[in-house]
């Protein structure tokens, strides 16, 4: 009996051991099955900028070939979010040109970014930017889950951007936890009253600052402001979420469209006006809205109309674009409606490129330029431009455009090291006497400049840059009709006079043309007041008959001073262009000195047997710029461009004070 019991116990023990072994193998199989999946790392292209990615911290994989200079990088160690992510990684030394994984972390915007050359990449300098980022090796931190798919900011229409703002994005995860999505409508959907009293959660230092509108806020004062423009109701006053501390209620940027109090516009105000507005990313949505309100106030104050001022708008960021031209909206109401619909372009603040665009494209007849009205361009700049404006502005001035600059929240002493072009406003404006420059300390004070600006742009008597080398002179031709010239050559001289005249803008208020022919005697062929259109002038030149006789050049200069230039307008430049083929029978020194003393700029053009020493005496100093010698009459036409160039060079070299 005892033996049977022992046998049964042994069987039970054996069975238990078998089951135990089976369970261990089963558990091993289960362990293999629940092994954590490998992290998926999203891949980006070389041209992807950090600012386009909403996630504040993420791991990505860069492809090979991102060392190319076309992928712009801004800054050193800490990079502006306008930079190529992969380009910055190579510049910092985290990657080489073969690509690989990197860890990207957003941080707060900087007051400036210094460019440098590192690891085969030349980074660029940049003024303050709203958001920055740093890169490190693509090793995940222990306990942190990074997004397997990136969330990008929308580049669609404003409506699409509003929808995009409700999408969830990942907050910077706390070690040991899994990041939870936070919906942006929790912030942007707040009412004005609630937002005014609610304490907003501050992002952790490691995460930097993010904007409720999917756009990082600019640095400094701007980073403290909540952009609730599109979703909140608004009442003026210090409790408004849009009101800065210390700003009075009348400074509200959302004031109703109305003519600013005290703004008086001359009924004779007739200008063709282009506003060149800053649409760069650094300005932010809120300030862009204030800028639009300012434009609307100016449009209302000017009383836009076909018989008065006309106004168009060019917006610039990386590149400029015309929002609408001078002929698009012919009254203030339609213009204000169009201004309200303008959307921000984003990008850098390339004001110089915008000024070139305005000069070359905006003030054309096809775009509504009337010709009879002064051309005015008002350039608005947030802080400072990211490119140079001097050369573009000089070309604009020489084209007759009166450039005004409104600089808002200019560089502080600490920020001036980041300004691309010191004294950019001084170099850009039409004149440096202060009339063309407005410096505004805060965007919330911009509306206070409406009256001053409107008064200045309508003061057409002071719009000095409307006067160019081609539209602001009284030009008297003094033509040698002596026997040595001959009939055929005299017609060639008249053709030369006509070719020069064609280059000028001729009217009773622009350039005027007169002509004197001389031998021993002198006669007035036509005066400054006789013809005021180009076609009439050209016909009058054709009708001049050849006289024939001796050569008394000194007497001819005196005659021209008395019969032509004595009737010149005080605000006109006086130009005498004398053409002769021989030495004078009388003295030219004293008449030439009198002409110079009276402010007549004299150009002496000698042909064939003309005495070059005499030409230099007649010509205004320096003689090398005002005297020309031509060996044959048939070569006169070759000197038309040179004469025009010298006239304009001299005009444009005048002081701008």
């Amino acid at each position: 009996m005892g033996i049977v019991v022992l046998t049964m116990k042994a069987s039970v023990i054996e069975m238990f051991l078998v089951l135990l072994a089976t369970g261990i193998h089963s558990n091993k199989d289960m362990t293999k099955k629940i092994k954590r999946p490998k992290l998926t790392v999203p891949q980006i292209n070389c041209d992807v900028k950090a600012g386009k990615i909403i996630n504040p911290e993420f791991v990505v994989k860069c492809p090979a070939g991102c060392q190319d200079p076309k992928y712009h990088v801004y800054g050193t160690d800490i990079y502006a979010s306008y930079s190529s992510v992969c380009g910055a990684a190579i510049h910092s030394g985290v990657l080489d040109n073969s690509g690989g994984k990197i860890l990207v972390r957003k941080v707060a915007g900087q007051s400036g970014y210094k460019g440098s050359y590192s690891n085969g990449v030349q980074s660029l300098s940049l003024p303050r930017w709203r958001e920055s980022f740093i890169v490190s090796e693509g090793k995940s931190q222990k306990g942190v889950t990074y997004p397997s798919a990136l969330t990008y900011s929308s580049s669609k229409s404003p409506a699409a951007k509003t929808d995009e703002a409700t999408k969830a994005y990942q907050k910077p995860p706390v070690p040991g936890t899994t990041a939870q999505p936070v919906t942006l409508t929790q912030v942007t959907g707040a009412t004005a009253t609630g937002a005014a009293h609610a304490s907003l959660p501050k992002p952790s230092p490691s995460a930097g600052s993010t904007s409720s509108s999917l756009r990082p806020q600019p640095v400094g004062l701007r980073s403290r402001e909540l952009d609730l423009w599109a979703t909140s109701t608004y009442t003026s006053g210090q409790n408004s979420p849009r009101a800065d501390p210390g700003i009075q209620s009348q400074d509200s940027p959302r004031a109703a469209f109305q003519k600013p109090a005290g703004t008086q516009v001359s009924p004779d105000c007739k200008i063709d006006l282009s506003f060149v507005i800053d649409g760069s990313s650094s300005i932010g949505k809120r300030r862009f809205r204030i800028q639009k309100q300012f434009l609307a106030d100016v449009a209302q104050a000017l009383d836009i109309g076909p018989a008065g001022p006309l106004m168009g708008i060019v917006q610039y960021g990386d590149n400029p674009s015309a929002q609408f031209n001078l002929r698009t909206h012919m009254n203030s109401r339609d213009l204000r409606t169009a201004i309200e619909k303008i959307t921000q372009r984003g990008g850098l603040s390339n004001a110089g490129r915008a000024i070139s665009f305005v000069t070359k494209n905006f003030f054309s007849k096809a775009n509504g330029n009337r010709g009879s009205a002064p051309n005015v361009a008002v350039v608005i700049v947030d802080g400072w431009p990211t490119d140079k404006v001097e050369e573009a502005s000089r070309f604009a001035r020489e084209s007759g455009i009166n450039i005004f600059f409104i600089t808002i929240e200019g560089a502080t002493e600490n920020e001036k090291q980041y300004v691309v072009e010191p004294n950019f406003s001084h170099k850009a404006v039409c004149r440096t006497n202060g009339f063309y420059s407005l410096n505004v300390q805060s965007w919330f004070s911009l509306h206070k400049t409406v009256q001053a600006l409107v008064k200045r742009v309508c003061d057409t008597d002071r719009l000095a840059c409307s006067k160019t080398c081609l539209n602001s002179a009284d030009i008297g031709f003094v033509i040698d009709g002596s026997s040595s010239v001959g009939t055929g050559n005299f017609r060639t001289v008249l053709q030369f006079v006509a070719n020069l005249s064609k280059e000028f803008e001729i009217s009773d208020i622009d350039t005027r043309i007169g002509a004197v022919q001389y031998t021993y005697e002198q006669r007035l062929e036509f005066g400054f007041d006789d013809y005021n259109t180009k076609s009439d002038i050209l016909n009058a030149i054709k009708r001049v008959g050849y006289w024939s006789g001796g050569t008394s050049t000194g007497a001819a200069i005196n005659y021209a001073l008395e019969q032509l230039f004595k009737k010149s307008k005080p605000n006109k430049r006086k130009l005498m262009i004398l053409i002769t083929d021989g030495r004078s029978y009388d003295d030219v020194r004293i008449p030439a000195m009198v002409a110079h003393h009276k402010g007549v700029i004299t150009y002496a053009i000698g042909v064939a047997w003309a005495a070059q020493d005499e030409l230099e005496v007649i010509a205004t100093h320096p003689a090398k710029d005002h005297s020309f010698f031509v060996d044959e009459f048939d070569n006169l036409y070759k000197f038309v461009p040179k004469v025009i160039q010298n006239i304009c060079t001299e005009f444009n070299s005048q002081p701008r004070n």
Side-chain angles (χ1 to χ4, degrees):
M1 186 68 179
I3 297 173
V4 173
V5 171
L6 287 173
T7 303
M8 290 178 64
K9 287 182 178 179
S11 300
V12 171
I13 291 170
E14 185 179 350
M15 184 179 297
F16 174 75
L17 292 174
V18 172
L19 291 173
L20 181 62
T22 304
I24 290 172
H25 287 296
S26 177
N27 286 337
K28 286 183 179 179
D29 293 339
M30 289 179 65
T31 303
K32 291 179 181 178
K33 290 179 181 178
I34 64 172
K35 187 176 181 180
R36 296 179 69 181
K38 189 176 181 180
L39 176 67
T40 301
V41 177
Q43 182 162 333
I44 61 175
N45 295 327
C46 296
D47 60 351
V48 172
K49 299 171 184 175
K52 291 293 184 181
I53 301 173
I54 296 173
N55 309 80
E57 190 169 359
F58 51 90
V59 175
V60 292
K61 184 176 182 180
C62 291
C66 295
Q67 203 173 31
D68 195 304
K70 68 182 179 182
Y71 306 122
H72 294 165
V73 177
Y74 299 89
T76 301
D77 297 329
I78 299 177
Y79 302 96
S81 63
Y82 198 67
S83 305
S84 158
V85 172
C86 299
I90 296 175
H91 182 271
S92 67
V94 174
L95 288 183
D96 57 25
N97 200 37
S98 61
K101 288 195 302 183
I102 56 171
L103 173 62
V104 179
R105 181 161 57 89
K106 300 282 187 72
V107 295
Q110 306 292 303
S111 59
Y113 300 83
K114 280 282 190 183
S116 65
Y117 182 81
S118 179
N119 300 307
V121 175
Q122 176 65 60
S123 69
L124 307 173
S125 297
L126 190 70
R128 61 189 179 205
W129 201 252
R130 308 161 308 164
E131 182 187 53
S132 310
F133 69 99
I134 57 177
V135 290
S136 56
E137 293 183 6
K139 295 179 180 179
S140 303
Q141 297 181 14
K142 188 176 180 180
V144 178
T145 301
Y146 295 98
S148 58
L150 300 177
T151 305
Y152 290 86
S153 61
S154 172
S155 58
K156 301 174 186 177
S157 63
K161 289 185 179 181
T162 303
D163 294 338
E164 188 77 20
T166 65
K167 292 183 179 179
Y169 76 104
Q170 302 294 325
K171 291 179 66 177
V174 179
T177 66
T178 300
Q180 298 297 321
V182 176
T183 305
L184 292 182
T185 49
Q186 293 172 356
V187 177
T188 57
T191 63
T193 305
H197 299 287
S199 58
L200 298 175
K202 295 183 178 180
S204 65
S206 64
S209 174
T210 56
S211 164
S212 62
S213 61
L214 301 186
R215 290 179 179 271
Q217 292 288 348
V219 300
L221 171 66
R222 303 179 187 185
S223 63
R224 299 197 297 268
E225 297 167 358
L226 177 64
D227 187 358
L228 301 177
W229 200 285
T231 56
S232 304
T233 56
Y234 176 60
T235 55
S236 63
Q238 290 185 351
N239 288 335
S240 164
R242 295 189 198 99
D244 253 19
I247 300 296
Q248 300 299 318
S249 60
Q250 62 264 31
D251 288 346
S252 160
R254 286 288 286 174
F257 286 129
Q258 58 184 354
K259 195 169 186 174
T263 302
Q264 298 294 327
V265 181
S266 167
D268 298 326
C269 180
K270 183 180 179 181
I271 56 172
D272 289 342
L273 172 62
S274 169
F275 265 97
V276 186
I277 65 172
D278 192 338
S280 62
S281 300
S282 65
I283 195 174
K285 287 186 175 180
R286 186 181 184 192
R287 279 161 184 75
F288 190 74
R289 178 69 188 179
I290 295 173
Q291 185 176 215
K292 292 203 300 181
Q293 178 66 55
F294 173 73
L295 297 176
D297 288 344
V298 171
Q300 180 70 15
L302 283 174
D303 193 17
I304 300 298
L310 294 180
M311 177 173 156
I313 294 178
V314 170
Q315 183 186 170
Y316 68 92
D318 288 338
N319 294 297
S321 176
Q323 301 295 304
F324 41 82
N325 61 36
L326 295 167
R327 68 195 316 168
T328 308
H329 304 291
M330 304 302 285
N331 61 71
S332 295
R333 181 177 179 179
D334 291 347
L335 185 57
R336 293 199 315 267
T337 301
I339 290 169
E340 181 66 21
K341 295 177 181 178
I342 295 175
T343 57
Q344 188 177 359
R345 291 180 64 83
L348 299 177
S349 184
N350 289 332
R353 189 174 294 178
I355 294 170
S356 293
F357 175 85
V358 168
T359 305
K360 295 175 183 177
N361 302 292
F362 188 84
F363 289 110
S364 66
K365 188 173 182 180
N367 287 334
N369 186 32
R370 291 172 287 187
S372 59
N375 294 160
V376 179
V378 179
V379 183
I380 302 178
V381 176
D382 173 46
W384 59 88
T386 52
D387 65 348
K388 294 185 177 182
V389 302
E390 183 175 16
E391 185 65 21
S393 300
R394 182 188 63 78
F395 184 45
R397 292 193 301 270
E398 293 175 3
S399 300
I401 300 173
N402 296 273
I403 296 185
F404 288 77
F405 246 71
I406 301 178
T407 305
I408 307 164
E409 298 183 9
T412 64
E413 285 300 320
N414 291 334
E415 292 173 331
K416 285 182 179 178
Q417 60 179 316
Y418 302 113
V419 177
V420 174
E421 186 178 33
N423 299 319
F424 62 88
S425 178
H426 183 86
K427 296 174 181 177
V429 292
C430 173
R431 293 288 184 271
T432 57
N433 55 12
F435 181 76
Y436 294 87
S437 302
L438 289 167
N439 296 311
V440 184
Q441 296 301 314
S442 166
W443 278 94
F444 295 97
S445 301
L446 180 59
H447 71 283
K448 297 178 182 178
T449 66
V450 171
Q451 182 176 353
L453 179 65
V454 168
K455 185 176 180 180
R456 293 185 192 189
V457 298
C458 285
D459 190 353
T460 54
D461 289 337
R462 295 190 66 179
L463 296 181
C465 282
S466 296
K467 300 173 183 177
T468 72
C469 60
L470 301 178
N471 69 7
S472 59
D474 280 345
I475 302 176
F477 288 97
V478 181
I479 306 169
D480 184 349
S482 62
S483 302
S484 58
V485 175
T487 303
N489 288 333
F490 187 76
R491 304 316 301 176
T492 302
V493 171
L494 292 183
Q495 185 61 56
F496 174 71
V497 171
N499 289 341
L500 282 173
S501 300
K502 286 178 184 178
E503 298 296 323
F504 294 90
E505 299 171 23
I506 297 173
S507 77
D508 56 341
I509 61 172
D510 294 311
T511 291
R512 303 185 304 169
I513 305 288
V516 166
Q517 184 182 176
Y518 73 95
T519 57
Y520 284 126
E521 300 177 280
Q522 308 85 32
R523 74 182 182 202
L524 180 67
E525 300 293 353
F526 52 89
F528 292 139
D529 294 324
D530 290 345
Y531 305 104
N532 56 25
T533 68
K534 189 173 294 188
S535 60
D536 287 345
I537 287 292
L538 296 179
N539 286 329
I541 294 170
K542 286 180 183 179
R543 291 194 297 268
V544 173
Y546 176 48
W547 202 357
S548 187
T551 309
S552 295
T553 306
I557 294 173
N558 285 331
Y559 182 86
L561 292 176
E562 186 67 25
Q563 297 298 320
L564 270 180
F565 291 102
K566 195 171 184 178
K567 300 176 183 179
S568 183
K569 292 183 178 180
N571 63 338
K572 298 288 187 182
R573 294 174 72 231
K574 304 176 187 66
L575 302 180
M576 180 190 297
I577 301 178
L578 185 145
I579 308 158
T580 182
D581 80 328
R583 184 177 291 276
S584 177
Y585 293 168
D586 62 355
D587 180 63
V588 299
R589 294 179 181 275
I590 294 177
M593 289 175 59
V594 172
H596 301 161
H597 181 73
K598 290 186 175 182
V600 178
I601 302 169
T602 307
Y603 288 83
I605 300 172
V607 189
W609 302 280
Q612 294 194 42
D613 60 328
E614 205 168 70
L615 297 176
E616 292 176 359
V617 170
I618 296 170
T620 296
H621 180 79
K624 65 181 180 63
D625 296 330
H626 297 86
S627 64
F628 305 89
F629 180 79
V630 187
D631 55 354
E632 296 180 8
F633 283 94
D634 288 342
N635 290 329
L636 267 173
Y637 74 94
K638 297 179 181 179
F639 283 79
V640 171
K642 183 62 177 175
V643 173
I644 296 296
Q645 179 184 341
N646 286 17
I647 289 172
C648 287
T649 299
E650 183 175 48
F651 178 87
N652 295 325
S653 65
Q654 297 176 101
R656 291 196 296 118
N657 51 25

